[in-house]
Amino acid sequence: MTHPLPRPPSAVVAARLDAPRPGARVTVAGLVLLRQRPGTAQGVVFVTLEDETGVVNVVIWRKVFERFRRAVIAGRLLRVTGRVERQNGVVHVVADLIEDLSPLLDRLSDPDCALSQAGETG
């Protein structure tokens, strides 16, 4: 029996983040490439996510970080909902909701998952 592949729920892909107007609320999802918490950023955390089309820059203000601390620190696959912001040609998503979807990655090693069966393609 073939099981559905693990996929994050609906999200705007990185390549399409230029479409929503500034201030629009969007949801993005991707693998965590980088977490930065510069000492000069006054508690702001910057996360870079990667999906199949590119990277997404996420800005996490201190209060949001405190609320979703565990997901931000430990998550390998995150879904972030927030507002689109553009500055000097760079698009950011300013987070207000962060979800850890890492358990979806764990399903890839499940022997019943179509991706993990040697010699087969989905």
Side-chain angles (χ1 to χ4, degrees):
M1 176 178 178
T2 302
H3 293 279
L5 301 178
R7 301 182 64 80
S10 295
V12 176
V13 294
R16 304 276 308 172
L17 270 179
D18 58 341
R21 62 176 169 55
R25 188 171 165 89
V26 297
T27 299
V28 295
L31 295 170
V32 176
L33 291 182
L34 182 67
R35 293 175 185 87
Q36 294 179 315
R37 193 173 184 183
T40 58
Q42 301 176 344
V44 178
V45 176
F46 302 97
V47 173
T48 303
L49 302 178
E50 181 179 35
D51 67 17
E52 66 274 16
T53 68
V55 296
V56 177
N57 300 307
V58 179
V59 177
I60 306 168
W61 293 107
R62 179 182 294 192
K63 285 188 178 190
V64 174
F65 173 73
E66 289 169 4
R67 211 167 126 214
F68 300 105
R69 178 184 194 88
R70 181 180 210 129
V72 174
I73 291 173
R76 298 173 292 147
L77 175 65
L78 297 179
R79 180 170 58 180
V80 176
T81 300
R83 307 258 177 226
V84 173
E85 184 178 284
R86 288 191 183 83
Q87 275 187 328
N88 303 321
V90 178
V91 179
H92 303 281
V93 175
V94 180
D96 50 35
L97 174 66
I98 301 167
E99 301 166 83
D100 185 357
L101 300 179
S102 300
L104 291 177
L105 293 174
D106 297 337
R107 287 184 49 205
L108 291 173
S109 63
D110 183 338
D112 292 328
C113 180
L115 284 180
S116 66
Q117 295 177 1
E120 294 184 17
T121 59

